[in-house]
Amino acid sequence: MGICYKGLTLKEAIDEKESLFEKTGYAYGLKSLELVEQDPAKFMRFQMRLVAACINVREMAKLISANPASLVQGELLFLLANPEGDVTSTSYGLAGHLQSLPYIIRSIADLGFEEDPGINVGDIFETNDALYGAPHNADNYTWVPIYYKGELIGWTVGLNHIVDVGGLQPGGLGTISPNVFTDGFTYPPTKTGTNFKQPRWWELHWKRRTRTEAFNVLDDKMRVAGCVALHDRILEIVEEFGIDYYRKALREIIERERRVLINRIKSQAVPGIYHWLQFTRVSYKGVVGKLFAASNRDWVLHKPGEFHIKSDGSLFMDLEGLSSEGGFHCNGYPAGVRMLTSLGAWPMFAYTSTLNSALMYVEKWNLPPGSMFNPQNPFAATVMSLGEIGGYINMFHNCLSLAFFARGFLEETFPQDGTGVGYGLAGVLKDGFQWAGGDMTLITCWAQGATPYHDGFPAACCQPNPQPDMGETEMGEFLQPTNLNIGKKLVHDYCGHGKYRGGLGIGMCQMIVEPGQSLIMAVFAGAAGMGRGALGMSGGYGGDQDLIVFCHDTNMRQILKEGGSYPTDFTELREWLKQGKLKAGSVERYTSSSPNVLCKDGDLVAMASGARCGWGDVLERDLNRVQEDLHYDWVTPRTARVMYGVVADNKGKVNVAESEKLRKQMRDTRRQRSVDAKDWWKEERQKVMDKGWREDLRNMFADSLKYGKFRREFMGMWQLPDDYAL
Amino acid sequence: MGKGEVEMAEKKVDDRYLVAQDAGGSMTDCFVVDKEGKFATGKFLTKHEDERVSYLGALNDAAKNWGMTSSQVHGAALSSTYTGTAMVNILVTRGGSKVGVLLTRGFAHLPIMERGLTWIGQSYEDILHQQLHEHTPWMVEPENIKEVTERISVGSYYMAHHFFPGTVVIPLVEADAVKGVNELLDNGVEVIGVLTLASYVNPAHERRIAEIAREIVQKRGLNIPVVASYEICSVPNETERLKTLLIQCYIAEVARKKLFFVEEAAQKEGYKHGLLTLLAYGAAANIRHTKLVEAAISGPVGGLLGGKFIADFLKIPNIVCWDLGCTTCDVGLIAGGLLPVNKNPDFSGHRLRMPMIAIDSIGAGTSHVVRAEPATKRISIGPASVKADLGTCYKSTQTTIGDIDLALNYINKDYYLGGTLKVDRDRALHELENQIAKPLGQDVYDVSSKILDLLHARVADHINGVMLSRGLNPAEFTLLVYGAAGPLHLWGLQRLIGFGDMIVVPWAAVFSAFGVAGADYFHRYDKAVTVFLTPDMTDDIKMYMGSALSQGWQELEERGLQELESEGIPSDAVTFKHGLTGRYVGQMSGWETPVHVSRVTSMEDLNSVIGAFEKTYTSIYPSGARYPQAGYQITEIYVQAVAKKPKPVILSFPIEGKKPPNEAHKGRRDAYIDGGWVAMDLWEQEKLRAGNRVDGPAIIEHTMTTFVIPRENYVELDQYRFMRFKKK
Amino acid sequence: MQTEDTRFTKDNLRLLVEGKLDWEEVKKALRLRPKDADRFWKYLEVLQARVPWKDKILLRISDHLYIVAKVGGGRIVKCDCGQEFGDYRTNWKLSCRVYARRTAEQMAEVVSTEEAIPNPELVEIREFYCPGCFALLGVEQVPVGYPPIFEMLPDLDTFYREWLGKPLSDERPDWFQDRTLEKPAQWAKGK
């Protein structure tokens, strides 16, 4: 006798859910929506009560948190799932995470939790294990079963992004981790409490296995308090509407919302096949040394995306050709892929006041086994899976933007090539006090990409969190006194250009002050020296890459003693170094994640991210827009001239005649230096025949050529002999 | 327009009056009380270009109920308090001052990036639909933002292990300030704001920069105000503090000019005192008050003050104030007799840092657009609102809640605003049929009344949320209903939430003006402190920490005395209230709690302070959420400097029989409720007497409100003619 | 065609296409539920009026490029300047003029932040120009030897028949089929 409706076991209930959709094409086989048809207003009222319950609980619980990311930057979510794990309503916040729930519930069903350890009233379960459905171990899930007269009728769930996961590196965004054991504190689904209470041993795990005990304990208290409160609210609603209505309505919510989404796609897009592509890099060579010999190498990661808008309005994403799993930190699992990429679906077509699992029924994915997003090695590291998966959010933005553009819905276009920069740090202060922390400022607030009708707004959006928020320096610095902020600003020229330009990115600059005995920083960045995305929009250029610059052994303290000033972003850092005004013993530059970097007093750290892509041909940019950019110093005169072919006087006043002339010259230059595609093809083909790539690139091609589809395209495009091999 | 006594009272010259006005976007409400507590109310179309006109107009409209004129009232007025949307309009119409600011070097773009909060005030659907995110219009042009080299540490969570709060890490480079100020003056700015990071723990750099600015302004023979952020907002979070500073700079002086005009007009008519206005934290203050930004968002506060007044008068400690208007639904809580304070309220797209009486608003009202999506049978209410167009019954092409109220016959189509406004019920019905009923394949009346259920559920969830997030139980609260549409929809709400008691005030439509009249005269001062109390501390270290509280409170008391004196209030007429914001070490948010000591001189004092925090915290969260082993941190303290001010009195009437007088009965009207047409008795509110009982199904009509009473309820008028809504 | 859905007018659409529509109006369009059903037809009218040639626009696929029904048959890609790129089932990039930026200096012209210039050892920046007007039609940032990316192959017959309810006259089962690889095959044969 199972715990679900009609005595089904959890596993049977989930199997039934899946087979019903397979057979009928409708969620739960619901060809008709009786409750909706009979009384749409009552149904709406029911649905909105569930949503309100989630939102209210979140507002109540978040204040308990210790962690700025949860409190200010919204890295927190509460939701209600039905017994089968489909989410039926969610609060504000990290909305994407609702996609993970079906995987997590499926996991505990397959693990036989129903018998052992048992699923009872008042039990508290938690996990952060990617193998079982959590995207990565920084995202911790807490869930509580809801029972009504002995029947399991749902789950209340709380999750948030914690500050430190106790990995090889400080913070929650480790960038070096050859296997799951170096990921840090990873726990499979665990019953951490009974009777709505957690025993002390659980708190001890946070104390012993992470660097930020107090934060993590309070976060845990927050998640539990929220789950329990939501549990009670839901039972009230069940009483109000009756269990039969509740049970049936939870399913109709999913199927009705599925139809809403399909409807949006069919009314705004154009069916067909679209392409998206990104390359990134992982550099472990010389960093992990003999300790992890197998991982002591560099990788170029190939991330193709074939995006199908199908005739029935559903979506199919084919990632064949994706690089293989490896001994690095950024493998991921399907749950993580579904979770994070949904963040591209919300703004493009899935925005509704009632987010739920319907999206799971609109998408199909091909994630080849053995590829980095479907690892077959259970010990694959995933601590920063989201960094690599995140790129695919942009596949939704850009492919659908093109589709909406083609259909005439320009206002809905929203190209993005987002990544972000964040860091973890840990140190020992002068008096031997050990501490750690992290920062998400440049991950939780980005610029918009350009659209076909306007420039991207700066500091305006955020893919991971629909409520962008940089947080407050005075709040963050209180937790990281050694990292004194001396700049947080928009950086001129730092964007992708085009007829409409992307929003300017944000630069941060910090001076290390009195770190004491030691301080290490590990900075995550997404771009990696190969650009943000491989494809510009309609002739526009891609957004500028993320940047990290460390200046060690500087004369900063001396400069300040003499009443001097300080550089406020990487461009000033660069100029000061050139002019010799700033002296540095050594300078480290990264466009991808940094290893652990040891910082000393007076060191400078400049980071920048959030620059976004342009749209259209730069030479067609309205002269007035360029003049405005010059006026506000958003772009420099050099860029105006070299990029946009705009001539202006030293006051920034544009000379129209001169500019037209220059633009004509630049078109002539295009004519002169370009060649016919056929000739370019010959040249490029020869390089392919010569195989002159550097090692990491060569490995990438070799790896991807193992996959039939990519091999066909590659061999076909370059007309290579069948025995061509790398 | 209306008055609180039926028989016309002869007015004598020795009378004394309190005048209160709430200037809304469209109407200016006036409320006048005499020394016995008899009141008269008036309305006048708000004249934004010259508010003197609407001020005098509204007062005259009220005065004529007593056969008087505005000047007669002014001659004998003890105080006149004037509040409203003037400041919001300056912002919306971009009519503020030309602002220049000096910021810590490296942070020049704070005003442009505004923390990325491009979604404030948007519905959740719009928030997800990130294409809709947008920044607020600039209050300061980028060329008028100058940077100054300096950095002071905020201190740290690790206390003694690192910087002490306020440590100067990068010395101030005065040359930057001099250069910046001169450039700003060359650009012709009209006001200068100064903000440096961490000024709330150590204002040294800000103060010095402001000094330099003032010197230069003086040297150049100009008269340009200079405002430092710590002077108006000495608490953490630079972006919120900056917004508060910018709004002060951008609108305060422009608004003050407008208020001075009104004061002049009043004094010309013989008003002998300074004009008062309302501050966001519920205080009345002279319009010379420096931090006039505090008056910017006092809009909905009046209603809560009225609620507080009634709570004290009726000795009801717990009240939920509910105001349902045409576009917003405001909810405010009075718990244990206290008005809760929100420390970073949102104000037309800006997030500020200053105390405001906590009011939680959602977009829900009678002007909200009702839509149906045929394909998916989705019904939505709002977020769009047609505002003063009411609905298809009046000027709109989109159906609204108002159309439904009319179509179902709750509202009397011939008595809208006492019949002064003509509405078309047939058109509303027709449009509801076409836009809602047909697409959904439903009966127009049935689906309409279900859409009301939907609205009532949304309001109920909102109120539940407000209470849940503070851990409060509706059954222990009295619901106080006001606003034009409150009485109209109470019947639906009370079916979803079990309040202990429900009261509709007879002058519901002008209730916030009444609240303004009842406001106390006081100033509130907030200050950030860094006080840790951890288990490992010895008592004398704890006492040392405690002394910081004493010092802080004393400092704030002195500022209070000073400012009140400058407004002509002698120090012996001033009393103080003290409080603080505390949290467990490690937490990011804090909880405000009043304390009963004004100085910490013993461990007992200290324990009572901690006790006060624990009491507040556990009133909100399960004890499992406590974390005393981590220790306590006190992040902010406040002082309220209170002066005396006359208050309105509420009249009491002799209790008469349960049966209402016949002349109050206006006949019957069929209204659609619970799936059928029901004959409702119609009553004229002005003619009902204390002690009367009105049984549902019935509708009580008033020129400004309509009160619906379903079959299972009845209404009793108590000795103050408050309408007590009860279940049979 | 039935009467225009005026909740979003053709004039507003024209302004939107020209980048001149007032932001407040754009927000209204973003909030429109359901969207104006005749948007695509309005779009075609606006676009057709902007091009100097007569071929009927079937779909717009970038700022300058359109899939058009060629007079006398066939569906080809055409630039608003009049330049034709051949069958839309073949990646139009293979009919462009191409310039590949392979050195940091060359890239510096189009990446304005020097620290952000991609690593020339890893990628080249490919620019695809219209051979007619030399407008910049497409940009790729990929390793040398990476096959050009076919950005969009629309399923036109399904779109017009099933989504718009107005089937095209020349429907054929093989219209939704990638023909790109035929071109290099010909080139290899020296054609």
Side-chain angles (χ1 to χ4, degrees), chain C residues 6-73:
Chain C
T6 53
R7 291 174 309 144
F8 187 72
T9 65
K10 204 170 115 188
D11 294 337
N12 273 0
L13 181 56
R14 186 182 298 103
L15 290 169
L16 184 60
V17 168
E18 292 164 356
K20 294 177 188 155
L21 185 60
D22 177 70
W23 175 240
E24 290 306 313
E25 288 298 310
V26 174
K27 282 193 288 183
K28 281 189 206 150
L30 276 162
R31 292 202 171 96
L32 207 56
R33 308 263 195 295
K35 293 281 192 183
D36 43 330
D38 59 353
R39 175 74 65 98
F40 184 69
W41 307 117
K42 288 186 272 191
Y43 195 41
L44 289 188
E45 290 174 32
V46 168
L47 297 174
Q48 198 79 51
R50 288 160 53 93
V51 295
W53 32 261
K54 288 278 156 292
D55 312 81
K56 188 171 177 310
I57 296 175
L58 299 179
L59 195 71
R60 187 189 195 189
I61 58 173
S62 84
D63 271 6
H64 289 279
L65 298 181
Y66 304 84
I67 296 174
V68 302
K70 192 156 172 50
V71 183

Side-chain angles (χ1 to χ4, degrees), chain A residues 637-672:
Chain A
R638 178 197 174 270
T639 301
R641 198 178 58 257
V642 177
M643 182 85 54
Y644 291 108
V646 171
V647 184
D649 63 22
N650 51 13
K651 287 197 186 54
K653 175 106 185 57
V654 167
N655 180 323
V656 178
E658 285 299 309
S659 303
E660 295 303 348
K661 205 159 110 235
L662 178 56
R663 285 183 165 188
K664 189 184 172 313
Q665 284 169 13
M666 289 167 79
R667 281 202 183 77
D668 293 340
T669 314
R670 287 177 176 178
R671 185 189 308 274
Q672 287 146 18

Side-chain angles (χ1 to χ4, degrees), chain B residues 303-316:
Chain B
L304 256 81
L305 292 178
K308 176 76 164 74
F309 189 91
I310 300 228
D312 297 344
F313 179 72
L314 297 178
K315 310 215 166 13
I316 308 172

